[in-house]
């Protein structure tokens, strides 16, 4: 790949936003593949110039970066900056509480204002105050959303409900707040209706959810 550095026409800034209940796959000018999750926003140039390939993310995206050692690929967010040469990784940047970078292949450098850390495959960096906390993770759950599945492995019911609410554009109410921290293994296709997803959740026999006036109620 050769970046166009000679054109006198400046690169144009592009942007794509996904609403609740929709995701989107796009190919950037350098051949990098991006899967943008629901309720996310990506800014990128229509062509890359100079010595860096830079994009900015709000929300969540999965990147398969086209290798180019001379032009590092950099993903900026409000919480973390990720610098790569060519690799596959998931970036979450919805809030400081759940901001993370999960590396599937290759190597990345994750930075905050006060810290930086090189990740190897199977590692995840997240915020711990202004520092970076790194741990080993199973990367499979972090890639399944782009394959069309909700995949939760030992996740709290509160986290699961947050994702379902974002996708189906509904609110959630916990009549029994003690259920918020119940951990579940739950998998369902994202093209299922909300009613089907709730029925599958109830079939686990651990919690009970119902839909009432556009609200998922946990009782």
């Amino acid at each position: 790949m050769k970046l166009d550095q000679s054109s006198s026409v400046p690169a144009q800034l592009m942007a794509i936003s996904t609403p609740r209940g929709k995701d989107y796959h796009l190919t950037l000018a350098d051949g990098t593949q991006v899967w943008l999750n629901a309720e996310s926003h990506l800014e990128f140039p229509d062509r890359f110039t100079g010595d860096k390939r830079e994009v900015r993310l709000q929300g969540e995206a999965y990147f398969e970066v086209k290798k180019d050692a001379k032009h590092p690929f950099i993903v900026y967010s409000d919480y973390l900056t990720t610098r790569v040469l060519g690799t596959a990784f998931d970036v979450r940047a919805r809030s400081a509480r759940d901001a993370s970078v999960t590396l599937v292949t290759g190597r990345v450098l994750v930075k905050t204002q006060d810290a930086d850390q090189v990740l190897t495959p199977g590692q995840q960096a997240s915020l711990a105050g202004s520092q970076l906390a790194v741990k080993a993770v199973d990367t499979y759950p972090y890639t399944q959303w782009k394959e069309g599945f909700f995949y939760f492995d030992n996740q709290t019911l509160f986290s699961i409900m947050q994702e379902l609410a974002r996708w189906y554009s509904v609110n959630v109410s916990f009549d029994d707040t003690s259920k918020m921290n119940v951990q579940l293994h739950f998998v369902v296709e994202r093209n299922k209706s909300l009613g089907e997803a709730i029925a599958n959740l109830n079939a686990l026999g651990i919690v009970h959810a119902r839909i009432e006036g556009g609200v998922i109620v946990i009782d």
Side-chain angles (χ1 to χ4, degrees):
M1 180 200 66
K2 182 177 179 181
L3 299 186
D4 182 4
Q5 298 176 318
S6 60
S7 175
S8 60
V9 179
Q12 298 296 309
L13 185 64
M14 313 288 286
I16 289 180
S17 295
T18 51
R20 289 186 169 194
K22 299 291 183 181
D23 52 28
Y24 190 78
H25 172 245
L26 68 151
T27 302
L28 302 183
D30 66 336
T32 291
Q33 304 290 310
V34 184
W35 288 261
L36 197 62
N37 207 346
E39 206 171 31
S40 300
H41 179 83
L42 183 72
E43 295 179 358
F44 58 95
D46 63 348
R47 58 189 175 84
F48 292 105
T49 61
D51 57 0
K52 292 181 290 187
R53 297 172 286 166
E54 299 173 299
V55 301
R56 175 167 285 277
L57 172 69
Q58 293 176 321
E60 182 175 9
Y62 184 88
F63 295 85
E64 290 184 358
V65 176
K66 188 75 171 181
K67 291 184 178 181
D68 183 355
K70 294 183 179 180
H71 302 91
F73 191 95
I74 303 174
V75 181
Y76 296 101
S77 76
D78 290 341
Y79 313 104
L80 301 168
T81 298
T82 309
R83 181 185 179 98
V84 306
L85 299 179
T87 187
F89 58 100
D90 182 81
V91 179
R92 290 185 178 179
R94 298 192 187 279
S95 69
R97 184 183 58 80
D98 73 349
S100 66
V101 176
T102 306
L103 182 62
V104 178
T105 63
R107 287 163 63 89
V108 300
L109 175 65
V110 182
K111 300 178 66 176
T112 67
Q113 289 185 340
D114 302 317
D116 60 71
Q117 178 72 47
V118 174
L119 300 186
T120 56
Q123 289 187 320
Q124 180 184 82
S126 57
L127 285 177
S130 61
Q131 300 299 308
L132 284 170
V134 177
K135 64 180 180 180
V137 296
D138 178 5
T139 61
Y140 186 79
Y142 297 92
T143 64
Q144 287 308 287
W145 65 263
K146 74 181 184 65
E147 305 297 335
F149 292 90
F150 291 108
Y151 189 102
F152 304 100
D153 188 33
N154 293 323
Q155 295 293 307
T156 65
L157 183 59
F158 180 77
S159 297
I160 293 171
M161 288 298 102
Q162 280 188 310
E163 290 297 317
L164 294 183
R166 180 178 295 114
W167 185 255
Y168 293 106
S169 193
V170 295
N171 294 317
V172 178
S173 174
F174 281 85
D175 284 355
D176 183 353
T177 56
S178 68
K179 299 290 180 63
M180 296 174 72
N181 293 318
V182 172
Q183 292 188 310
L184 299 173
H185 179 86
F186 177 56
V187 181
V188 67
E189 294 179 54
R190 284 156 65 106
N191 63 3
K192 296 289 188 182
S193 69
L194 175 59
E196 290 174 305
I198 294 302
N200 287 0
L201 179 65
N202 289 338
L204 297 176
I206 300 173
V207 299
H208 181 263
R210 55 191 168 85
I211 305 168
E212 188 174 284
V215 177
I216 303 173
V217 179
I218 310 297
D219 51 23

